Amino acid sequence: MATLGLIFSNIHDKEIFEVTQNRTIASAPIGGRYRLIDFTLSNMVNNNITNIGVVTKYNYQSLMDHIGSGKEWDLARKNGGLVILPPYGVSSDLYNSRLEALKSILSFIRYAKAEYVVLADCYQVCNIDFKPIFKQHFETKADITCVYRETDINIDDYSPVVMMEVDENKTVVKMDIQKSFVGHANVSTDTWIIKKDLLQSLVTQAIERNQHSFNRDILKENLGNLKICGYRFDGYFGNISSLQSYYKVNMDLLNNCIRNELFYQPGRAIYTRVRDSAPTKYGDYANIKDSLIADGCIIDGTVENSVLFRGVRISQGAVVKNSILMQNTIISEGISVNRVITDKFVSITHTKSIAGKNGELIYIKKDGVL
Amino acid sequence: MLNKKECVAMLLAGGQGSRLYALTNKIAKPAVPFGAKYRIIDFPLSNCINSNIDTVGVLTQYQPLVLNDYIGNGQPWDLDRAFGGVHILPPYQGKLKTDWYRGTANAIYQNVDFIKRYNPEYVIILSGDHIYKMDYGKMLAFHREKKADITIAVIDVPIKEASRFGIMNTKADHEIYEFEEKPKKPKSTNASMGIYIFSSEELYKYLEEDDQDATSSNDFGKNIIPKMLADGKKLYAYPFSGYWKDVGTIDSLWEANMDLLGQEPLFETFDPDWKIYSRNDPFPPQFIASGAFVKNSLITVGCHIEGRVVNSLLSNNVKVGKGALVEDSVIFSNTVIEEGASVRYSIIDEDVIIRKNSIVGTTEPTSDKITVVSSQVTIGEGAHVMPGSILEKDFEG
């Protein structure tokens, strides 16, 4: 059954944090060698969805550079494959919501050779198998299936929070959309399965009524008219919406069970762009504990509980703890960092010690020299 | 797009590499893993693309499956081209005769039509069993400048080793006046690297003549080069200086791997101006657990280290358990070294399982005997594989 994948690369752009100031959430670096979109793209490809549109709005240079023609995900195809959908049209206003974004790509959707559409976001680190979701979708004869998870919502999670009540027949009986919410609930993961024809007609109707919200105006509004079901996802779900959660998810990847679940599912590998780095070289004074380290690093210092991206250099006598060092970060001799997130090409060569105190994190922006 | 290429590369990759024993049971020598994330063929292929040579014929014969699969459409080396790119050239059935490749010259002769499709002025012949970084563009410029018919890359070797090589004796301007294959008393130390640039018309002519000669063993070193010399052709030796290593034996393969280690390694893989490209597998970054100890080693994606790794090279997805020791060794992909096991002075092939508390190789701090374990072998708990052994079957001790 032909399925079109639609990925929203930065739909939550009102809530940017340090790492996403100059890039889409989709292209935020994660886990030493990945970008967030790698998870969503790989999840689709691993479920045979090979016709994918990536909806972008701005700051998408790093995203385009990362996904290129899509060949790393086997998406450089004659039929379907990967298409980047930048803003289009004569209107000077860019879209502001998922619904408006869908409106702007209606003709792309119309011409796609597909019966179903899977819509997904990029703020999540998970390895999700769509096969049981489709199975439930058919068994329940649902019009729309929404993937949700039961979780605690924090103050820095994306708003509005879309909560749902699901009955024993998997039917969503109530939706609650709140600007801010803290507590325990069934929350939408912003992943939906819907028939293409239905999506087209719902979006067209909503435009005619001058509506703006996919969740409120299409889903919640139609709870009585359409059969909307919920699929409960119980796997690992790293949810990134702030510097704190970005840090937490990276640290989660130091856990063996989580890493196994994400990266070693048979037939469901996570693909990413390959950069041909040399293997990582450890020197005579390397002292490493519980760290995830990409290729192309040269390490001769102490590294504990940290995530290192490719090309990081740690000199002899340097100490890196509880930190995330993005591509080509340089930590010179005798320097110590703790609870620090460095963006790409940061070099710390003369500030003796940088440490986030009392649970704080220190973010050092791209090209920073300290 | 131009309808011709200035230079086409022909890479001889059909050899078995029988002196690598168990490591080439199922794969051709150029497909043997090297340097934690590469295979030997990555080096000549990367040299080609880094030298702006984008048309490469890879001649395969012995056990080509892994090699074919590895090269694929050439995309990892940027050699997937509309005109040119990398092409696998196995022996084929002809209308009049069908033959295996009967020697280096015959292998090229059988594929002359491939070369002619690109109408090149020059053809560079390479072999798939050396580790080196070389700008073939410089050698080509030398060839053009000398207006040579053939240019042979040479490297200065120690005089006591010279009798293992083909030695080129040259005049001051590098013109070759004499060629001696493995001379007992070498007159010079210019050893042939097995890299030849031919002006293409000369290549076609000599290959044709060589094929007519029933007594020829169809080999560049034994037949073509002596013939050209005898005919008074212009043969030049291009002096190359830099790292170059034949990895045709277990010892030299181990040594060449070790040459990548150290503060200032003899062979540098971290060279932003001369990247070595390879086909990559989708694995997460390496994880070094608490309790691990890693020193002077090269490690790549998917590895999970809980034990000690010293002076070693680990290919992707190698697991080293708690209390295990890997020292002075080269471990290929997907091999598991369980708790308490010890591996020293060894080359361990892909998909090997080394069970708890077993010992592979020497227990001494140094050894001159390299132990080899072939792919998919399991070594039982507590077993001891003696130093210098070559293990091709499961071993319970």
Side-chain angles (χ1 to χ4, degrees):
Chain A
M1 150 207 62
T3 305
L4 170 70
L6 286 178
I7 299 177
F8 298 88
S9 67
N10 49 350
I11 204 72
H12 294 282
D13 51 24
K14 269 179 243 156
E15 288 137 295
I16 53 169
F17 58 99
E18 290 84 340
V19 177
T20 54
Q21 234 146 32
N22 292 306
R23 49 169 81 92
T24 58
I25 184 84
S27 48
I30 183 95
R33 73 174 300 200
Y34 302 97
R35 304 278 185 149
L36 272 170
I37 196 172
D38 293 340
F39 292 89
T40 312
L41 270 181
S42 302
N43 285 338
M44 287 191 174
V45 169
N46 291 337
N47 283 284
N48 244 337
I49 301 172
T50 54
N51 184 3
I52 298 175
V54 178
V55 185
T56 60
K57 187 168 165 187
Y58 47 67
N59 277 345
Y60 50 83
Q61 205 177 346
S62 62
L63 179 67
M64 291 183 69
D65 179 46
H66 179 68
I67 55 186
S69 65
K71 68 186 172 197
E72 315 278 6
W73 298 268
D74 205 13
L75 286 172
R77 301 286 182 95
K78 283 201 169 177
N79 291 308
L82 186 85
V83 184
I84 295 180
L85 301 163
Y88 166 82
V90 286
S91 157
S92 59
D93 294 334
L94 294 181
Y95 59 80
N96 281 312
S97 71
R98 192 183 306 272
L99 184 55
E100 288 170 22
L102 283 167
K103 172 186 146 194
S104 75
I105 59 165
L106 259 184
S107 78
F108 171 77
I109 298 172
R110 188 180 321 124
Y111 289 113
K113 287 182 198 138
E115 196 182 345
Y116 286 86
V117 181
V118 171
L119 301 99
D121 274 8
C122 286
Y123 59 83
Q124 46 205 247
V125 171
C126 64
N127 190 329
I128 188 163
D129 187 358
F130 290 140
K131 287 180 279 294
I133 311 177
F134 269 103
K135 188 163 172 268
Q136 184 194 303
H137 185 79
F138 297 134
E139 278 168 6
T140 55
K141 298 191 170 65
D143 294 308
I144 301 172
T145 296
C146 176
V147 180
Y148 71 93
R149 65 198 176 103
E150 192 184 331
T151 186
D152 291 319
I153 298 295
N154 302 314
I155 191 75
D156 59 1
D157 279 329
Y158 287 126
S159 68
V161 180
V162 178
M163 291 170 283
M164 50 185 68
E165 247 172 64
V166 183
D167 71 8
E168 68 277 10
N169 300 318
K170 322 278 188 202
T171 308
V172 177
V173 288
K174 191 177 163 216
M175 275 181 83
D176 195 5
I177 301 169
Q178 291 204 13
K179 266 258 173 295
S180 67
F181 173 85
V182 175
H184 195 82
N186 290 331
V187 188
S188 165
T189 65
D190 293 316
T191 303
W192 300 276
I193 290 176
I194 183 171
K195 260 201 167 141
K196 190 184 106 170
D197 296 346
L198 179 61
L199 178 68
Q200 278 176 267
S201 67
L202 287 172
V203 171
T204 311
Q205 281 168 26
I207 295 164
E208 283 163 0
R209 292 180 194 145
N210 201 19
Q211 292 168 331
H212 299 287
S213 164
F214 184 80
N215 279 307
R216 190 185 59 230
D217 300 326
I218 290 188
L219 297 182
K220 190 175 179 193
E221 199 58 35
N222 283 308
L223 275 184
N225 311 325
L226 297 170
K227 188 168 169 83
I228 300 178
C229 288
Y231 174 88
R232 182 188 164 103
F233 179 66
D234 285 320
Y236 174 79
F237 191 94
N239 177 38
I240 294 176
S241 57
S242 64
L243 196 65
Q244 295 293 335
S245 54
Y246 175 78
Y247 179 79
K248 181 185 177 296
V249 172
N250 272 287
M251 291 299 139
D252 282 350
L253 299 181
L254 300 179
N255 176 305
N256 289 337
C257 298
I258 292 174
R259 234 176 25 258
N260 281 339
E261 182 191 324
L262 287 173
F263 300 114
Y264 289 101
Q265 303 263 13
R268 280 158 52 200
I270 304 298
Y271 299 89
T272 187
R273 170 136 190 207
V274 167
R275 298 287 186 161
D276 295 288
S277 305
T280 280
K281 183 191 279 190
Y282 297 91
D284 288 345
Y285 304 96
N287 178 7
I288 323 284
K289 267 186 198 152
D290 288 322
S291 294
L292 194 59
I293 298 171
D295 272 1
C297 297
I298 299 181
I299 302 174
D300 212 4
T302 297
V303 180
E304 277 178 29
N305 218 32
S306 296
V307 175
L308 272 51
F309 287 73
R310 73 188 159 94
V312 167
R313 302 281 191 273
I314 312 281
S315 297
Q316 189 185 331
V319 179
V320 175
K321 288 184 179 173
N322 311 310
S323 293
I324 300 166
L325 308 183
M326 289 189 214
Q327 187 194 324
N328 292 5
T329 293
I330 295 172
I331 309 285
S332 294
E333 211 172 320
I335 299 225
S336 79
V337 299
N338 191 358
R339 291 185 66 81
V340 165
I341 299 171
T342 61
D343 211 309
K344 292 160 73 171
F345 297 97
V346 163
S347 68
I348 305 181
T349 52
H350 47 270
T351 309
K352 273 274 162 263
S353 167
I354 304 174
K357 299 215 167 57
N358 309 323
E360 291 284 295
L361 291 165
I362 293 174
Y363 169 80
I364 301 166
K365 67 174 199 275
K366 194 174 167 183
D367 302 318
V369 177
L370 289 172
Chain B
M1 211 180 288
L2 289 172
N3 63 354
K4 64 172 290 179
K5 298 283 179 188
E6 187 190 26
C7 184
V8 166
M10 297 297 274
L11 176 51
L12 297 159
Q16 177 184 356
S18 55
R19 287 172 303 151
L20 287 176
Y21 305 101
L23 298 177
T24 52
N25 282 347
K26 288 179 197 134
I27 58 174
K29 180 155 79 168
V32 169
F34 181 84
K37 73 177 283 188
Y38 308 104
R39 291 181 189 262
I40 295 169
I41 198 166
D42 288 331
F43 294 84
L45 283 180
S46 300
N47 285 341
C48 281
I49 196 68
N50 289 334
S51 306
N52 279 324
I53 294 173
D54 65 6
T55 307
V56 186
V58 179
L59 299 116
T60 60
Q61 179 154 287
Y62 174 79
Q63 291 283 18
L65 288 183
V66 171
L67 194 57
N68 291 354
D69 199 36
Y70 186 68
I71 293 173
N73 67 350
Q75 180 263 321
W77 304 270
D78 205 15
L79 287 170
D80 51 335
R81 300 296 172 99
F83 181 66
V86 68
H87 295 258
I88 305 262
L89 303 170
Y92 55 88
Q93 193 171 23
K95 185 169 183 183
L96 296 175
K97 59 179 181 181
T98 297
D99 213 339
W100 294 104
Y101 293 150
R102 280 175 285 124
T104 52
N106 178 260
I108 305 294
Y109 177 70
Q110 291 198 37
N111 289 288
V112 157
D113 288 342
F114 167 80
I115 301 173
K116 286 182 175 170
R117 279 207 299 235
Y118 301 100
N119 191 21
E121 283 154 65
Y122 310 102
V123 179
I124 183 165
I125 314 284
L126 305 168
S127 65
D129 32 16
H130 296 105
I131 302 298
Y132 64 112
K133 291 185 274 193
M134 179 172 175
D135 188 345
Y136 304 137
K138 287 185 183 158
M139 181 174 168
L140 194 58
F142 175 94
H143 179 84
R144 263 192 309 251
E145 184 198 311
K146 299 288 183 189
K147 299 192 172 59
D149 295 313
I150 178 175
T151 299
I152 299 164
V154 294
I155 189 160
D156 195 27
V157 292
I159 185 84
K160 62 177 195 290
E161 285 180 37
S163 49
R164 284 173 41 221
F165 294 93
I167 296 296
M168 304 291 161
N169 297 321
T170 61
K171 300 175 192 164
D173 71 339
H174 303 293
E175 185 169 1
I176 299 167
Y177 66 87
E178 189 182 27
F179 167 64
E180 295 179 292
E181 181 70 25
K182 299 186 176 141
K184 285 211 175 66
K185 282 189 181 163
K187 290 182 197 134
S188 77
T189 53
N190 288 327
S192 167
M193 299 165 67
I195 299 168
Y196 315 117
I197 292 181
F198 280 91
S199 293
S200 47
E201 291 307 323
E202 296 295 331
L203 177 70
Y204 303 150
K205 180 173 150 248
Y206 276 91
L207 287 177
E208 190 69 47
E209 284 178 22
D210 181 65
D211 188 60
Q212 302 297 322
D213 180 359
T215 63
S216 173
S217 51
N218 309 113
D219 186 87
F220 280 108
K222 285 191 195 110
N223 307 106
I224 304 271
I225 294 167
K227 184 100 196 310
M228 289 178 84
L229 200 57
D231 289 354
K233 291 287 171 184
K234 290 176 82 175
L235 285 76
Y236 276 85
Y238 170 74
F240 173 76
S241 59
Y243 184 91
W244 177 78
K245 191 137 192 160
D246 184 324
V247 285
T249 64
I250 295 289
D251 286 351
S252 64
L253 180 67
W254 181 85
E255 278 168 27
N257 271 290
M258 293 299 144
D259 288 345
L260 269 53
L261 298 178
Q263 200 77 6
E264 279 165 27
L266 293 172
F267 188 77
E268 181 60 84
T269 43
F270 281 77
D271 187 346
D273 299 325
W274 206 266
K275 267 194 182 181
I276 308 300
Y277 299 92
S278 64
R279 191 172 284 280
N280 283 251
D281 294 311
F283 296 116
Q286 54 202 282
F287 185 75
I288 316 288
S290 60
F293 177 82
V294 180
K295 185 176 165 178
N296 189 32
S297 294
L298 287 179
I299 304 180
T300 190
V301 292
C303 286
H304 186 106
I305 314 296
E306 296 183 10
R308 290 172 71 85
V309 178
V310 180
N311 304 338
S312 295
L313 298 97
L314 273 52
S315 297
N316 57 41
N317 270 352
V318 170
K319 308 266 185 287
V320 179
K322 276 201 184 75
L325 169 70
V326 177
E327 195 164 1
D328 300 301
S329 294
V330 182
I331 317 288
F332 296 169
S333 303
N334 302 325
T335 283
V336 178
I337 297 158
E338 294 186 352
E339 284 171 42
S342 147
V343 177
R344 274 185 165 136
Y345 284 89
S346 297
I347 300 178
I348 312 292
D349 208 338
E350 299 180 349
D351 303 299
V352 168
I353 300 170
I354 297 175
R355 295 255 183 246
K356 278 182 198 166
N357 303 322
S358 55
I359 298 171
V360 178
T362 183
T363 51
E364 305 293 323
T366 61
S367 173
D368 54 3
K369 287 185 186 140
I370 305 301
T371 310
V372 177
V373 179
S374 183
S375 62
Q376 294 172 348
V377 164
T378 299
I379 292 168
E381 200 172 322
H384 187 177
V385 180
M386 297 313 274
S389 42
I390 291 175
L391 203 62
E392 297 180 67
K393 288 198 184 101
D394 290 357
F395 181 75
E396 288 299 328

